[in-house]
Amino acid sequence: KNQVEQSPQSLIILEGKNCTLQCNYTVSPFSNLRWYKQDTGRGPVSLTIMTFSENTKSNGRYTATLDADTKQSSLHITASQLSDSASYICVVGMNTGFQKLVFGTGTRLLVSP
Amino acid sequence: NAGVTQTPKFQVLKTGQSMTLQCAQDMNHEYMSWYRQDPGMGLRLIHYSVGAGITDQGEVPNGYNVSRSTTEDFPLRLLSAAPSQTSVYFCASSYAAGGRTDTQYFGPGTRLTVL
């Protein structure tokens, strides 16, 4: 079964600290892996998209890694800010003629002052 | 450039009522889709469209109808609302359906409650 699992479910960190969110997937055929940020009451916003051949991609203070062999990805947030408080969703794309996306349930991050 | 817009933001329906959730995008994207987001679950695809006049079912299509008469608009119709359809609905669009690195843009969502 095609699944995307994220850990932890929720996380509280102090402002200025770093954190890493994990994503494991069992999706085939794999096409790409995406990380989205979803603020409360808003739609998801794309942070990074990685294909099979890419093992790291950055977007400002956000760095995503991909290990296609172990089917794992991580999102590292550096020097966290209060505005980083949000849910972070890992999404795996399948190449089935059109892009079928399998969504994880997200990690809820709270950055505390 | 407004991106993806959705109306209404909130809606309360009684069981059996029908309604249409509106979605529009001004980026000339071919691919549009509707998702629902429920607590503890990932977003699930309801219906999608790869271009004007072309629609298809996603993972959870029952109880919903769509049409795509223009590139810009992709309304979602609830035929006879049920409490199980209480959810947050997101419309999304991207440049093409097959692009491996196409960014998908989401609307702000419609929070629907069915009593």
Side-chain angles (χ1 to χ4, degrees):
Chain A
K1 185 180 177 185
N2 293 310
Q3 281 187 316
V4 176
E5 295 184 351
Q6 294 186 241
S7 61
Q9 273 193 319
S10 61
L11 183 62
I12 302 174
I13 62 172
L14 289 175
E15 185 179 11
K17 297 295 187 184
N18 304 336
C19 68
T20 300
L21 314 181
Q22 301 290 343
C23 173
N24 296 334
Y25 62 91
T26 55
V27 177
S28 181
F30 175 88
S31 173
N32 57 79
L33 189 140
R34 306 164 181 236
W35 283 93
Y36 287 86
K37 178 187 180 188
Q38 185 176 21
D39 292 315
T40 301
R42 304 225 171 177
V45 174
S46 180
L47 292 175
T48 61
I49 303 173
M50 291 180 291
T51 59
F52 185 88
S53 58
E54 298 172 292
N55 54 24
T56 187
K57 185 155 272 190
S58 292
N59 179 355
R61 293 179 297 101
Y62 301 101
T63 300
T65 64
L66 172 64
D67 185 335
D69 291 332
T70 62
K71 299 187 176 181
Q72 295 180 325
S73 176
S74 64
L75 180 69
H76 186 73
I77 304 175
T78 303
S80 61
Q81 300 176 358
L82 297 179
S83 59
D84 292 331
S85 296
S87 286
Y88 292 85
I89 303 173
C90 176
V91 185
V92 178
M94 303 170 63
N95 208 351
T96 58
F98 80 100
Q99 273 294 301
K100 176 174 164 49
L101 301 178
V102 183
F103 288 78
T105 55
T107 291
R108 186 176 295 274
L109 174 67
L110 176 63
V111 180
S112 176
Chain B
N1 195 328
V4 180
T5 58
Q6 292 183 238
T7 56
K9 284 190 70 70
F10 301 94
Q11 183 71 49
V12 179
L13 292 178
K14 294 182 179 178
T15 297
Q17 288 184 315
S18 62
M19 78 159 295
T20 299
L21 279 63
Q22 301 291 345
C23 173
Q25 50 89 12
D26 60 359
M27 298 173 281
N28 203 30
H29 284 168
E30 290 295 321
Y31 182 70
M32 296 186 74
S33 51
W34 276 101
Y35 293 90
R36 60 178 289 172
Q37 187 175 39
D38 300 296
M41 302 184 76
L43 275 79
R44 291 182 292 168
L45 182 65
I46 303 171
H47 284 285
Y48 66 94
S49 169
V50 299
I54 307 169
T55 63
D56 207 344
Q57 296 181 351
E59 186 183 350
V60 288
N62 292 341
Y64 307 95
N65 230 342
V66 292
S67 60
R68 184 101 178 266
S69 56
T70 67
T71 298
E72 295 77 23
D73 300 297
F74 190 43
L76 177 73
R77 279 181 288 278
L78 277 70
L79 310 172
S80 177
S84 61
Q85 294 179 304
T86 293
S87 187
V88 182
Y89 292 85
F90 289 101
C91 179
S93 75
S94 61
Y95 178 69
R100 290 185 300 162
T101 57
D102 281 343
T103 297
Q104 198 165 38
Y105 296 87
F106 283 84
T110 294
R111 185 175 293 273
L112 175 68
T113 301
V114 182
L115 304 175

